[in-house]
Amino acid sequence: MICRLIFVTAVLAASVMAADHQADYAALKTRAAAAKVSDQDKLYAQLAMRATEVANDHYTAGDVIKAQSTIDEVVNYAEKARDAALQSNKNLKQTEITLRETSRRLDDLRRSLALEDRPYVETAINRIETVRKQLLDQMFGPKPKEKK
């Protein structure tokens, strides 16, 4: 009886957390779309991180199709964050840091998946790493030489 009660409590807690992730995710989507370009980089980077958690919830629920769709959104939001950061030339460092955390979280997620589901997430991680490299190149790349 006690084991059943603990199991039901755990299932309810997991479903509440999944609903929380999805509600935050939807609200953040709306904010990011309506924000100024100078604020979009941070919002899209946060959105990529939240989408990672939503994808994890989908994988946990066994809905691989929705999870893969959400993984695509993670990459899309990472690219939008990069584009906004490069356009405004602000928040490059914070955007890169958030995308690094997103990449690490995706790697943690990848390790928890079945072998046949891993390549899809690995591709997403590689694409986010490319985005991060572009941000780092903008921050630390060679400065153009001034003509005398």
Side-chain angles (χ1 to χ4, degrees):
M1 182 68 177
I2 293 175
C3 290
R4 182 178 285 168
L5 182 61
I6 292 172
F7 176 75
V8 169
T9 304
V11 168
L12 288 174
S15 65
V16 167
M17 285 177 51
D20 258 0
H21 285 152
Q22 291 183 2
D24 289 345
Y25 179 61
L28 194 54
K29 265 187 189 179
T30 306
R31 277 185 50 209
K36 296 183 295 185
V37 173
S38 61
D39 296 330
Q40 283 182 336
D41 48 8
K42 292 181 284 189
L43 293 172
Y44 279 128
Q46 291 172 2
L47 197 50
M49 180 64 104
R50 297 258 174 92
T52 302
E53 297 306 324
V54 172
N56 184 41
D57 294 341
H58 289 309
Y59 275 121
T60 302
D63 195 348
V64 175
I65 302 298
K66 278 187 181 178
Q68 288 179 343
S69 174
T70 307
I71 293 293
D72 288 338
E73 290 180 17
V74 170
V75 174
N76 183 32
Y77 291 132
E79 290 170 345
K80 285 183 177 185
R82 175 209 52 210
D83 294 342
L86 292 177
Q87 184 178 357
S88 68
N89 208 24
K90 291 184 177 179
N91 303 316
L92 293 167
K93 182 178 179 180
Q94 188 58 46
T95 301
E96 188 277 329
I97 290 169
T98 304
L99 293 180
R100 179 177 358 120
E101 291 170 357
T102 300
S103 181
R104 286 184 181 161
R105 181 64 184 110
L106 278 174
D107 191 48
D108 292 343
L109 173 62
R110 178 191 61 83
R111 292 178 190 183
S112 70
L113 297 176
L115 287 175
E116 61 269 7
D117 295 329
R118 289 181 181 187
Y120 200 84
V121 178
E122 286 175 19
T123 302
I125 292 168
N126 291 337
R127 288 179 61 193
I128 291 174
E129 288 302 314
T130 300
V131 167
R132 284 188 53 237
K133 183 182 180 315
Q134 291 166 343
L135 288 169
L136 290 169
D137 287 346
Q138 176 68 24
M139 287 189 287
F140 303 115
K143 303 289 182 199
K145 294 181 181 178
E146 293 182 18
K147 295 182 181 180
K148 293 182 179 181

